[in-house]
Amino acid sequence: FGLLVHWVYHQEFDLPRVEGKEGKFSADYEKLAELWILAQRTLMPALQNHVIDIIFDSLSKQDLWDGSNFGRLMELAGENDPTSPLSRLAINTLVYSCALFFDAQVSSTPPSLAVSIMKGLKMNHAERKSWGEGMGGNSSYHVARTSGPRKQN
């Protein structure tokens, strides 16, 4: 909640970090995913997009299986709408990452994302694309800034 309040006043915040293996620090994907979900619930698309930009940038620079808590991002994405930008980013990260990362994260992958992951693997794995290639830029995961309240089914 503190990150949300800081965003409201400053339109920015420092990257939350978590200590991983051998004292290395990585982005705290759990806090970032929670903030994205909170921004989704409070209809703050600019914050959602800012969080996606941070996650996207961090994912492109980091060795995910070396102490990151990316698995928590996957869990939170699985509890959210499987078609949301956060879920799509989590899925595409697994699809386009190397086999070691996928092997390390498969146990924390929520069943609700499994079908989308398998479809992505089937379509893209044979081409052996690198992490960012084929994913599009970070704006591929942005939400529309003019979105109104979502209809409840």
Side-chain angles (χ1 to χ4, degrees):
F1 185 73
L3 291 174
L4 176 75
V5 171
H6 195 275
W7 168 261
V8 168
Y9 285 105
H10 304 286
Q11 300 295 294
E12 66 180 11
F13 55 84
D14 292 329
L15 175 66
R17 297 193 175 275
V18 63
E19 188 171 356
K21 294 180 183 175
E22 299 175 10
K24 294 180 182 179
F25 285 87
S26 65
D28 189 340
Y29 295 111
E30 179 177 12
K31 282 187 181 173
L32 290 169
E34 289 171 345
L35 181 59
W36 189 93
I37 292 166
L38 182 58
Q40 179 186 37
R41 290 181 182 154
T42 57
L43 302 174
M44 299 177 73
L47 177 55
Q48 285 178 274
N49 294 340
H50 185 69
V51 171
I52 285 291
D53 292 346
I54 290 171
I55 293 172
F56 192 93
D57 186 54
S58 296
L59 289 172
S60 68
K61 296 177 181 174
Q62 184 174 346
D63 184 2
L64 297 179
W65 55 88
D66 189 20
S68 85
N69 64 352
F70 181 77
R72 279 295 295 146
L73 185 144
M74 288 294 299
E75 292 171 14
L76 291 167
E79 294 168 6
N80 196 12
D81 174 7
T83 63
S84 75
L86 181 67
S87 296
R88 288 187 301 110
L89 178 58
I91 290 164
N92 288 340
T93 298
L94 282 178
V95 169
Y96 291 107
S97 294
C98 76
L100 290 175
F101 172 72
F102 184 76
D103 290 343
Q105 297 297 329
V106 76
S107 64
S108 65
T109 303
S112 63
L113 299 181
V115 172
S116 296
I117 291 169
M118 293 305 139
K119 286 180 181 177
L121 285 170
K122 182 179 177 184
M123 290 173 30
N124 301 302
H125 189 66
E127 298 175 26
R128 304 281 184 215
K129 294 182 179 180
S130 64
W131 182 83
E133 184 184 359
M135 287 183 62
N138 52 333
S139 61
S140 301
Y141 306 97
H142 282 183
V143 295
R145 291 179 181 253
T146 59
S147 63
R150 292 177 23 188
K151 293 181 181 177
Q152 299 291 330
N153 291 338

PDB file of all heavy atoms in Angstrom, residues 68-82:
ATOM      1  N   SER A  68      15.581 -15.016  -7.545  1.00  0.00           N
ATOM      2  CA  SER A  68      14.468 -14.076  -7.658  1.00  0.00           C
ATOM      3  C   SER A  68      13.201 -14.737  -7.124  1.00  0.00           C
ATOM      4  O   SER A  68      13.122 -15.952  -6.987  1.00  0.00           O
ATOM      5  CB  SER A  68      14.258 -13.640  -9.117  1.00  0.00           C
ATOM      6  OG  SER A  68      13.458 -14.565  -9.816  1.00  0.00           O
ATOM      7  N   ASN A  69      12.206 -13.914  -6.821  1.00  0.00           N
ATOM      8  CA  ASN A  69      10.921 -14.461  -6.374  1.00  0.00           C
ATOM      9  C   ASN A  69       9.898 -14.374  -7.509  1.00  0.00           C
ATOM     10  O   ASN A  69       8.726 -14.120  -7.280  1.00  0.00           O
ATOM     11  CB  ASN A  69      10.448 -13.766  -5.095  1.00  0.00           C
ATOM     12  CG  ASN A  69      10.154 -12.288  -5.270  1.00  0.00           C
ATOM     13  OD1 ASN A  69      10.434 -11.694  -6.309  1.00  0.00           O
ATOM     14  ND2 ASN A  69       9.589 -11.667  -4.250  1.00  0.00           N
ATOM     15  N   PHE A  70      10.351 -14.628  -8.728  1.00  0.00           N
ATOM     16  CA  PHE A  70       9.458 -14.605  -9.885  1.00  0.00           C
ATOM     17  C   PHE A  70       8.322 -15.615  -9.732  1.00  0.00           C
ATOM     18  O   PHE A  70       7.228 -15.407 -10.245  1.00  0.00           O
ATOM     19  CB  PHE A  70      10.238 -14.872 -11.182  1.00  0.00           C
ATOM     20  CG  PHE A  70       9.369 -14.827 -12.394  1.00  0.00           C
ATOM     21  CD1 PHE A  70       8.953 -13.623 -12.919  1.00  0.00           C
ATOM     22  CD2 PHE A  70       8.953 -15.995 -13.007  1.00  0.00           C
ATOM     23  CE1 PHE A  70       8.137 -13.577 -14.040  1.00  0.00           C
ATOM     24  CE2 PHE A  70       8.135 -15.961 -14.122  1.00  0.00           C
ATOM     25  CZ  PHE A  70       7.733 -14.744 -14.636  1.00  0.00           C
ATOM     26  N   GLY A  71       8.572 -16.697  -9.020  1.00  0.00           N
ATOM     27  CA  GLY A  71       7.524 -17.693  -8.788  1.00  0.00           C
ATOM     28  C   GLY A  71       6.299 -17.084  -8.122  1.00  0.00           C
ATOM     29  O   GLY A  71       5.160 -17.460  -8.421  1.00  0.00           O
ATOM     30  N   ARG A  72       6.501 -16.128  -7.223  1.00  0.00           N
ATOM     31  CA  ARG A  72       5.365 -15.453  -6.571  1.00  0.00           C
ATOM     32  C   ARG A  72       4.583 -14.605  -7.570  1.00  0.00           C
ATOM     33  O   ARG A  72       3.370 -14.526  -7.500  1.00  0.00           O
ATOM     34  CB  ARG A  72       5.845 -14.579  -5.403  1.00  0.00           C
ATOM     35  CG  ARG A  72       6.104 -15.353  -4.149  1.00  0.00           C
ATOM     36  CD  ARG A  72       4.839 -15.982  -3.570  1.00  0.00           C
ATOM     37  NE  ARG A  72       3.880 -14.969  -3.135  1.00  0.00           N
ATOM     38  CZ  ARG A  72       2.553 -15.087  -3.204  1.00  0.00           C
ATOM     39  NH1 ARG A  72       1.996 -16.176  -3.664  1.00  0.00           N
ATOM     40  NH2 ARG A  72       1.772 -14.114  -2.796  1.00  0.00           N
ATOM     41  N   LEU A  73       5.287 -13.980  -8.520  1.00  0.00           N
ATOM     42  CA  LEU A  73       4.589 -13.240  -9.556  1.00  0.00           C
ATOM     43  C   LEU A  73       3.703 -14.201 -10.336  1.00  0.00           C
ATOM     44  O   LEU A  73       2.557 -13.889 -10.633  1.00  0.00           O
ATOM     45  CB  LEU A  73       5.574 -12.539 -10.496  1.00  0.00           C
ATOM     46  CG  LEU A  73       4.943 -11.642 -11.553  1.00  0.00           C
ATOM     47  CD1 LEU A  73       5.816 -10.427 -11.799  1.00  0.00           C
ATOM     48  CD2 LEU A  73       4.702 -12.360 -12.852  1.00  0.00           C
ATOM     49  N   MET A  74       4.228 -15.382 -10.646  1.00  0.00           N
ATOM     50  CA  MET A  74       3.446 -16.385 -11.365  1.00  0.00           C
ATOM     51  C   MET A  74       2.206 -16.786 -10.559  1.00  0.00           C
ATOM     52  O   MET A  74       1.111 -16.885 -11.115  1.00  0.00           O
ATOM     53  CB  MET A  74       4.287 -17.633 -11.651  1.00  0.00           C
ATOM     54  CG  MET A  74       5.340 -17.460 -12.710  1.00  0.00           C
ATOM     55  SD  MET A  74       4.657 -17.156 -14.358  1.00  0.00           S
ATOM     56  CE  MET A  74       3.700 -18.635 -14.639  1.00  0.00           C
ATOM     57  N   GLU A  75       2.374 -17.010  -9.272  1.00  0.00           N
ATOM     58  CA  GLU A  75       1.242 -17.396  -8.425  1.00  0.00           C
ATOM     59  C   GLU A  75       0.181 -16.306  -8.395  1.00  0.00           C
ATOM     60  O   GLU A  75      -1.022 -16.593  -8.529  1.00  0.00           O
ATOM     61  CB  GLU A  75       1.723 -17.704  -7.011  1.00  0.00           C
ATOM     62  CG  GLU A  75       2.572 -18.959  -6.913  1.00  0.00           C
ATOM     63  CD  GLU A  75       3.218 -19.126  -5.549  1.00  0.00           C
ATOM     64  OE1 GLU A  75       2.819 -18.428  -4.588  1.00  0.00           O
ATOM     65  OE2 GLU A  75       4.135 -19.950  -5.437  1.00  0.00           O
ATOM     66  N   LEU A  76       0.609 -15.057  -8.211  1.00  0.00           N
ATOM     67  CA  LEU A  76      -0.342 -13.949  -8.155  1.00  0.00           C
ATOM     68  C   LEU A  76      -1.015 -13.734  -9.513  1.00  0.00           C
ATOM     69  O   LEU A  76      -2.208 -13.434  -9.576  1.00  0.00           O
ATOM     70  CB  LEU A  76       0.358 -12.674  -7.689  1.00  0.00           C
ATOM     71  CG  LEU A  76       0.795 -12.701  -6.225  1.00  0.00           C
ATOM     72  CD1 LEU A  76       1.762 -11.560  -5.928  1.00  0.00           C
ATOM     73  CD2 LEU A  76      -0.399 -12.656  -5.299  1.00  0.00           C
ATOM     74  N   ALA A  77      -0.261 -13.898 -10.590  1.00  0.00           N
ATOM     75  CA  ALA A  77      -0.851 -13.782 -11.921  1.00  0.00           C
ATOM     76  C   ALA A  77      -1.905 -14.873 -12.124  1.00  0.00           C
ATOM     77  O   ALA A  77      -2.952 -14.640 -12.728  1.00  0.00           O
ATOM     78  CB  ALA A  77       0.230 -13.878 -12.996  1.00  0.00           C
ATOM     79  N   GLY A  78      -1.642 -16.056 -11.596  1.00  0.00           N
ATOM     80  CA  GLY A  78      -2.589 -17.160 -11.716  1.00  0.00           C
ATOM     81  C   GLY A  78      -3.864 -16.945 -10.927  1.00  0.00           C
ATOM     82  O   GLY A  78      -4.927 -17.455 -11.280  1.00  0.00           O
ATOM     83  N   GLU A  79      -3.771 -16.176  -9.855  1.00  0.00           N
ATOM     84  CA  GLU A  79      -4.954 -15.845  -9.055  1.00  0.00           C
ATOM     85  C   GLU A  79      -5.759 -14.723  -9.702  1.00  0.00           C
ATOM     86  O   GLU A  79      -6.901 -14.490  -9.341  1.00  0.00           O
ATOM     87  CB  GLU A  79      -4.532 -15.432  -7.644  1.00  0.00           C
ATOM     88  CG  GLU A  79      -3.906 -16.559  -6.851  1.00  0.00           C
ATOM     89  CD  GLU A  79      -3.234 -16.078  -5.575  1.00  0.00           C
ATOM     90  OE1 GLU A  79      -3.341 -14.875  -5.241  1.00  0.00           O
ATOM     91  OE2 GLU A  79      -2.585 -16.903  -4.905  1.00  0.00           O
ATOM     92  N   ASN A  80      -5.133 -14.012 -10.635  1.00  0.00           N
ATOM     93  CA  ASN A  80      -5.759 -12.899 -11.339  1.00  0.00           C
ATOM     94  C   ASN A  80      -6.373 -13.432 -12.639  1.00  0.00           C
ATOM     95  O   ASN A  80      -6.333 -14.631 -12.911  1.00  0.00           O
ATOM     96  CB  ASN A  80      -4.681 -11.842 -11.621  1.00  0.00           C
ATOM     97  CG  ASN A  80      -5.244 -10.496 -11.993  1.00  0.00           C
ATOM     98  OD1 ASN A  80      -6.428 -10.238 -11.850  1.00  0.00           O
ATOM     99  ND2 ASN A  80      -4.386  -9.637 -12.487  1.00  0.00           N
ATOM    100  N   ASP A  81      -6.899 -12.575 -13.437  1.00  0.00           N
ATOM    101  CA  ASP A  81      -7.442 -12.935 -14.742  1.00  0.00           C
ATOM    102  C   ASP A  81      -6.314 -13.488 -15.619  1.00  0.00           C
ATOM    103  O   ASP A  81      -5.324 -12.801 -15.850  1.00  0.00           O
ATOM    104  CB  ASP A  81      -8.046 -11.669 -15.373  1.00  0.00           C
ATOM    105  CG  ASP A  81      -8.513 -11.859 -16.792  1.00  0.00           C
ATOM    106  OD1 ASP A  81      -8.515 -13.002 -17.296  1.00  0.00           O
ATOM    107  OD2 ASP A  81      -8.884 -10.845 -17.415  1.00  0.00           O
ATOM    108  N   PRO A  82      -6.435 -14.722 -16.119  1.00  0.00           N
ATOM    109  CA  PRO A  82      -5.365 -15.317 -16.929  1.00  0.00           C
ATOM    110  C   PRO A  82      -5.101 -14.574 -18.237  1.00  0.00           C
ATOM    111  O   PRO A  82      -4.077 -14.778 -18.857  1.00  0.00           O
ATOM    112  CB  PRO A  82      -5.841 -16.741 -17.211  1.00  0.00           C
ATOM    113  CG  PRO A  82      -7.056 -16.959 -16.420  1.00  0.00           C
ATOM    114  CD  PRO A  82      -7.532 -15.649 -15.884  1.00  0.00           C
TER     115      PRO A  82
END
